Amino acid sequence: MRILKWFFLFTDISFILYFGATALGLIPPEWAYSDYSNPILIAWNWSFFPIDMLVSLTGLTALYLYRKQSPTWKSAALISLVLTFCSGMMAIAYWGIRQEFDPACPNLFLLIYPLFFIRKFWKSTSNSGVLGSI
């Protein structure tokens, strides 16, 4: 959790700050994605709001539960990681379809970093027999 904590804090706070800045119109168009002012792309961007806020909610909840030494922190963390992966994958798929994918985009980070931790959670649950009881 020592390393995962920093990934959660960075990602969860970044999502909250990003949507706050977007809502307030603080992001200059030259820093944004292509067609930033297109109403269809504005709607597409805001379609990520629910999943990204769930990422933040579950990630910050996992940190809180970990601090309180509750074993349920692992469930919240796993949900956050899977949602983060899905959010990144959805955005990458969109930009790939448009043939505008940029490997330096933050969505690649959202797609890749959870895989390292999901694998660890998967191994720990399969070794403890939890998956066999489902």
Side-chain angles (χ1 to χ4, degrees):
M1 183 59 162
R2 211 175 60 233
I3 296 170
L4 181 58
K5 174 176 85 170
W6 296 111
F7 278 101
F8 276 172
L9 286 172
F10 175 77
T11 303
D12 300 341
I13 292 170
S14 293
F15 274 143
I16 294 166
L17 291 175
Y18 170 76
F19 279 104
T22 301
L24 296 172
L26 300 176
I27 298 175
E30 60 272 10
W31 291 3
Y33 49 83
S34 68
D35 295 333
Y36 182 67
S37 60
N38 180 330
I40 293 171
L41 284 184
I42 292 170
W44 168 81
N45 185 50
W46 279 98
S47 74
F48 281 84
F49 180 77
I51 192 170
D52 292 348
M53 290 304 101
L54 280 173
V55 167
S56 294
L57 178 67
T58 54
L60 294 172
T61 298
L63 293 174
Y64 172 78
L65 292 171
Y66 180 79
R67 182 189 278 178
K68 295 292 182 185
Q69 298 180 346
S70 171
T72 58
W73 77 268
K74 289 182 180 182
S75 297
L78 183 57
I79 291 168
S80 184
L81 290 165
V82 170
L83 290 173
T84 303
F85 172 84
C86 291
S87 179
M89 181 177 56
M90 290 167 40
I92 288 171
Y94 175 81
W95 293 113
I97 290 167
R98 285 184 51 120
Q99 298 180 352
E100 294 181 30
F101 176 71
D102 178 3
C105 75
N107 295 307
L108 197 55
F109 167 78
L110 299 174
L111 179 75
I112 294 173
Y113 108 75
L115 293 175
F116 294 98
F117 295 100
I118 290 171
R119 188 176 136 222
K120 289 180 181 187
F121 280 99
W122 188 268
K123 277 184 168 183
S124 70
T125 56
S126 63
N127 289 339
S128 66
V130 174
L131 290 178
S133 64
I134 295 176

